[in-house]
Amino acid sequence: MKIKSFETEKYINTLVPFKNPLLIYGSDEGLVEHRTNKIINTFLKGDKQNALTTFDNKGSNQINFEDIICTKSLFSNKEVIKVTGGNDKIIEKLNSKLINNESLLVIINAGELLPRSKLRKLFENENNMGVIACYKIDSLELKKIIIDYINKHKLKINNEALIYLTENLGQNYQIIINELNKLLLIKEETINFENIKNLI
């Protein structure tokens, strides 16, 4: 089931209704990684110790869901399996025992998936599975990210500086956050255009 863009933040923070497994895909790798990490923290309530296992679907450490389902961690009540390099071949490995298993969450990360992708179609059409798309950020979303960041860190910024950031930060989520972190270096009461034009 596709999680609509306007519902994504609320879903990531609550995981309601619970969907398992989750497919997180898109052209913005930084946003894919950011949303994956937020979902992991929400599911595990911040306790990652002994509860996160990562597999690369393309490498030698390929996933076997049957083994994972049969092996329960002795150290944690909840576990997350993160699979990178998701593609259509992983469909054969998905197991119906994953669905509605509220102590094990499987997250599959993939790059850009076309609408005809079998993996994407499966997750969009199956009610028990969830899919989150991570496309390049547009200017409205970028402005919201900047304002949320400024509010979170209790910063003040004038309108000219805000416009400059919106026009110059680009569309890659991870780069945007890295650049916004530089604002924390400015020791002025209100951040203005002069403060940031050479910093960012």
Side-chain angles (χ1 to χ4, degrees), residues 52-190:
L52 174 63
T53 307
T54 302
F55 291 89
D56 183 356
N57 190 50
K58 295 179 180 173
S60 58
N61 189 19
Q62 291 196 9
I63 191 162
N64 184 332
F65 287 114
E66 200 63 46
D67 290 347
I68 291 166
I69 292 165
C70 296
T71 308
K72 178 78 176 118
S73 171
L74 300 173
F75 303 104
S76 48
N77 294 323
K78 290 186 172 184
E79 295 178 76
V80 175
I81 305 300
K82 176 182 165 185
V83 182
T84 60
N87 57 32
D88 288 350
K89 292 179 183 174
I90 202 168
I91 292 172
E92 302 158 12
K93 299 176 185 179
L94 290 174
N95 188 307
S96 61
K97 293 177 187 172
L98 293 171
I99 297 170
N100 295 325
N101 182 345
E102 296 200 13
S103 64
L104 173 68
L105 176 63
V106 175
I107 301 174
I108 300 169
N109 288 164
E112 185 64 43
L113 296 175
L114 298 174
R116 67 177 177 267
S117 160
K118 291 177 186 174
L119 182 63
R120 181 174 161 182
K121 280 183 182 177
L122 172 68
F123 275 78
E124 287 178 347
N125 294 328
E126 185 64 48
N127 278 336
N128 294 317
M129 298 177 175
V131 60
I132 298 173
C134 299
Y135 297 113
K136 296 291 183 186
I137 294 166
D138 64 22
S139 60
L140 288 175
E141 194 172 357
L142 176 57
K143 189 172 182 179
K144 181 184 181 311
I145 290 169
I146 295 166
I147 291 169
D148 288 347
Y149 184 92
I150 288 166
N151 291 337
K152 178 182 175 185
H153 293 283
K154 298 179 172 70
L155 302 172
K156 293 180 182 173
I157 189 168
N158 71 19
N159 197 44
E160 187 181 12
L162 180 61
I163 291 168
Y164 177 81
L165 289 172
T166 306
E167 291 174 350
N168 290 284
L169 286 181
Q171 298 177 312
N172 183 292
Y173 184 83
Q174 194 56 57
I175 292 171
I176 292 165
I177 296 303
N178 291 345
E179 292 297 310
L180 288 175
N181 284 336
K182 293 178 183 178
L183 297 177
L184 300 175
L185 301 172
I186 298 172
K187 301 300 180 195
E188 302 291 328
E189 186 176 320
T190 301

Side-chain angles (χ1 to χ4, degrees), residues 14-79:
T14 63
L15 298 184
V16 176
F18 186 70
K19 303 289 181 188
N20 192 23
L22 285 172
L23 172 64
I24 305 174
Y25 77 94
S27 55
D28 190 338
E29 292 175 13
L31 189 55
V32 168
E33 189 65 24
H34 170 74
R35 286 179 171 170
T36 298
N37 290 336
K38 279 185 81 172
I39 288 170
I40 290 168
N41 284 329
T42 300
F43 184 73
L44 298 177
K45 308 274 190 273
D47 180 20
K48 286 189 185 179
Q49 186 176 2
N50 302 313
L52 174 63
T53 307
T54 302
F55 291 89
D56 183 356
N57 190 50
K58 295 179 180 173
S60 58
N61 189 19
Q62 291 196 9
I63 191 162
N64 184 332
F65 287 114
E66 200 63 46
D67 290 347
I68 291 166
I69 292 165
C70 296
T71 308
K72 178 78 176 118
S73 171
L74 300 173
F75 303 104
S76 48
N77 294 323
K78 290 186 172 184
E79 295 178 76

